[in-house]
Amino acid sequence: MARRSDHTREELKDLILDTAWTIVGKKGAEGLTARNLATQIGYTPGTIYNIFKSMDDLYLQVNVRTLDKLLEVLNSKDCNDPKKSPAQNIKKVLGLYMEFAREYRPYWLMMFLHPLPEGRKKMGWYQEKIDRLFEPLENLLEPFFSGREKQKRKMAARVLWSSIHGLCLLQETGRISLVADKVPEAEMVSYLVDTFVAGIKDNK
Amino acid sequence: MARRSDHTREELKDLILDTAWTIVGKKGAEGLTARNLATQIGYTPGTIYNIFKSMDDLYLQVNVRTLDKLLEVLNSKDCNDPKKSPAQNIKKVLGLYMEFAREYRPYWLMMFLHPLPEGRKKMGWYQEKIDRLFEPLENLLEPFFSGREKQKRKMAARVLWSSIHGLCLLQETGRISLVADKVPEAEMVSYLVDTFVAGIKDNK
DNA sequence: ATTATTATTGAACATTGTTCATAACAGTGC
DNA sequence: GCACTGTTATGAACAATGTTCAATAATAAT
């Protein structure tokens, strides 16, 4: 039996979350089971339930960590270089997104593919956090829209974001052989942005 | 005990598949369990394993059915109306895709979200079937590319398809509040196609 | 009828998440 | 030191998963 004073409640929470993080990194979301996790930290399944309401709760916390990392990346200075054209900055931010999806694949897949718990509607704070994913793009699209086209700009950001998101999903799940005939994915991002941006300009 | 001559092997396969289909429709992929299915057809779990190698095998067969339906829709005459502009036809086919995703949501989600079995790489025929999803778009994009730009046309089709796919995924999983401020999704499709097509023309 | 074949069964196993009475512990008061 | 109190970790137990496989029931063949 683990000594109950080995860790404070706070330490234990961190320990569980950290261990969960490395498990997901190594074996994916499927590998994150209560018993597996408990064994690794030298406790038993029940302990986890003293700290987290459920496994889904723990999954969510891992997702939050992933989301925070992603938001940090997308808000980096590199994506708002005044010396570069808007299109270049947009390419940069979308490229960073794609890079993140690959580098943190198991976490990223967990965030978007792993089954969600039922009562997910009550977590407004989580939704708001996710919605912040659009902000960098919205800002970068500013030069292309007038002040009263804010609505349209928001829509453009969401459509563009969905596009890159769809590309990543097909890429990372391997469900569809996207890069048929060996077209590098970076070229696809580039093509998407160039075409879309050109379309925005032209479509006014 | 069910009489062994109640159904031929072939009838049994159809019965299982049909029942599986309705279960997924009602309760989603999660509701499709061996025991649940077996009970509904008046047999026992073991019987399913006489017909299908595993539950994953059965999942795959359901996906095949879904995929066939989808391919049929996307290849309908409505998407190749010579009286309409290419952009209008493209809108039509993407709109049909989105409609399908909503109408057949549980099946569509199962196809793209449900965990895949490990040895999925060996099923070339399934991959080829999925790849046929791009064909309608590739054809509709023909007017915009010269004969020797076939490669580029393929890429454009994949990028555009991924875009609508990403939109649908975010929509149907409800993970992200895409339609913030009540922008109808049809408007987003319209905007995507108009912008993208305008970009193609301009970007040459 | 007897035998051979084959389809169906259902108990069994290894996994899940989850609960909860109980035991082990740390602290407090005397 | 001892008894009491409150917290924390436990691990057995429950339900439900996919899956296997010897036993059995139903049919076909002889």
Side-chain angles (χ1 to χ4, degrees):
Chain A
M1 189 187 239
R3 295 289 167 78
R4 81 182 233 193
S5 55
D6 277 352
H7 308 94
T8 70
R9 231 184 137 77
E10 206 56 35
E11 284 172 338
L12 206 43
K13 186 177 177 182
D14 290 345
L15 179 61
I16 291 176
L17 204 47
D18 289 346
T19 310
W21 181 265
T22 69
I23 290 176
V24 172
K26 281 184 197 161
K27 313 201 172 188
E30 314 307 318
L32 180 55
T33 71
R35 285 169 182 80
N36 181 7
L37 172 54
T39 304
Q40 288 207 27
I41 61 173
Y43 282 79
T44 51
T47 299
I48 298 170
Y49 285 81
N50 293 339
I51 312 288
F52 295 91
K53 278 207 302 287
S54 65
M55 276 291 134
D56 278 338
D57 184 22
L58 179 55
Y59 295 149
L60 180 67
Q61 298 306 323
V62 173
N63 283 345
V64 167
R65 197 177 272 206
T66 308
L67 196 45
D68 283 338
K69 274 196 195 305
L70 177 56
L71 283 171
E72 197 180 340
V73 169
L74 296 187
N75 286 307
S76 85
K77 307 289 178 190
D78 298 344
C79 319
N80 224 328
D81 190 341
K83 282 176 288 185
K84 289 182 186 167
S85 72
Q88 281 177 312
N89 277 321
I90 292 176
K91 257 182 218 176
K92 183 69 185 174
V93 73
L94 295 188
L96 283 176
Y97 183 77
M98 210 160 201
E99 212 174 282
F100 185 92
R102 190 198 347 258
E103 192 175 350
Y104 291 85
R105 177 162 44 212
Y107 307 102
W108 186 82
L109 288 175
M110 179 171 171
M111 196 160 52
F112 289 111
L113 253 42
H114 201 267
L116 288 178
E118 288 308 314
R120 71 201 191 211
K121 289 160 190 169
K122 295 177 183 173
M123 308 179 302
W125 58 272
Y126 187 61
Q127 276 299 328
E128 285 167 27
K129 217 179 233 275
I130 287 195
D131 287 351
R132 285 189 46 212
L133 285 172
F134 298 132
E135 285 177 10
L137 262 185
E138 278 181 32
N139 293 335
L140 289 174
L141 283 172
E142 211 169 357
F144 302 105
F145 296 91
S146 74
R148 75 176 75 84
E149 282 179 316
K150 195 177 171 186
Q151 201 68 356
K152 207 169 186 180
R153 195 179 89 211
K154 278 190 148 189
M155 185 168 70
R158 275 160 177 74
V159 169
L160 192 48
W161 197 89
S162 299
S163 300
I164 199 69
H165 183 69
L167 269 171
C168 286
L169 264 173
L170 298 178
Q171 188 69 43
E172 298 304 329
T173 59
R175 259 176 174 94
I176 294 186
S177 53
L178 255 189
V179 288
D181 306 316
K182 295 173 185 161
V183 177
E185 62 190 39
E187 199 174 321
M188 298 185 86
V189 179
S190 184
Y191 182 79
L192 167 65
V193 176
D194 285 338
T195 308
F196 201 82
V197 169
I200 291 176
K201 288 177 183 166
D202 193 80
N203 204 19
K204 295 183 79 74
Chain B
M1 187 188 242
R3 295 288 166 78
R4 79 184 234 192
S5 55
D6 278 352
H7 307 93
T8 69
R9 231 184 135 78
E10 207 55 34
E11 284 173 339
L12 206 43
K13 185 178 176 181
D14 290 346
L15 178 61
I16 291 176
L17 205 46
D18 289 346
T19 310
W21 181 264
T22 69
I23 289 176
V24 173
K26 281 185 196 159
K27 315 201 171 186
E30 315 306 318
L32 180 54
T33 70
R35 286 170 181 80
N36 181 7
L37 172 55
T39 305
Q40 289 207 26
I41 62 173
Y43 282 80
T44 51
T47 299
I48 297 169
Y49 285 81
N50 295 337
I51 312 287
F52 294 91
K53 278 207 302 287
S54 65
M55 277 290 132
D56 278 338
D57 185 23
L58 179 57
Y59 295 151
L60 180 66
Q61 298 306 322
V62 173
N63 282 346
V64 167
R65 197 178 271 205
T66 308
L67 196 45
D68 283 339
K69 273 196 195 307
L70 177 55
L71 283 171
E72 197 180 341
V73 169
L74 296 188
N75 286 307
S76 85
K77 307 289 177 189
D78 298 343
C79 316
N80 222 329
D81 191 339
K83 281 176 289 188
K84 289 180 187 165
S85 72
Q88 281 177 312
N89 277 321
I90 292 176
K91 257 181 221 176
K92 183 70 185 175
V93 73
L94 294 189
L96 283 176
Y97 183 77
M98 208 158 202
E99 213 174 280
F100 185 91
R102 190 200 344 260
E103 191 175 349
Y104 290 86
R105 178 163 41 213
Y107 306 103
W108 185 82
L109 287 175
M110 179 171 171
M111 195 159 53
F112 289 111
L113 254 42
H114 201 266
L116 287 178
E118 287 308 315
R120 73 202 189 212
K121 289 161 190 170
K122 295 177 184 175
M123 307 178 305
W125 58 273
Y126 186 62
Q127 276 300 328
E128 285 167 28
K129 216 180 233 277
I130 288 194
D131 287 351
R132 285 190 47 212
L133 285 172
F134 298 133
E135 284 177 11
L137 264 186
E138 278 181 32
N139 294 334
L140 288 173
L141 284 172
E142 212 169 358
F144 301 107
F145 296 91
S146 74
R148 73 177 77 85
E149 284 179 315
K150 196 177 171 187
Q151 203 66 357
K152 207 168 185 181
R153 197 179 87 210
K154 280 190 144 186
M155 185 168 71
R158 275 159 178 76
V159 168
L160 192 48
W161 196 88
S162 299
S163 300
I164 199 70
H165 184 68
L167 269 172
C168 286
L169 264 173
L170 297 178
Q171 188 68 45
E172 298 304 328
T173 59
R175 259 177 176 93
I176 294 188
S177 54
L178 255 188
V179 289
D181 305 315
K182 296 175 185 161
V183 176
E185 62 190 40
E187 199 174 321
M188 298 185 87
V189 179
S190 184
Y191 182 78
L192 168 65
V193 176
D194 286 337
T195 308
F196 201 81
V197 168
I200 290 176
K201 287 178 183 165
D202 192 79
N203 205 18
K204 296 185 80 69

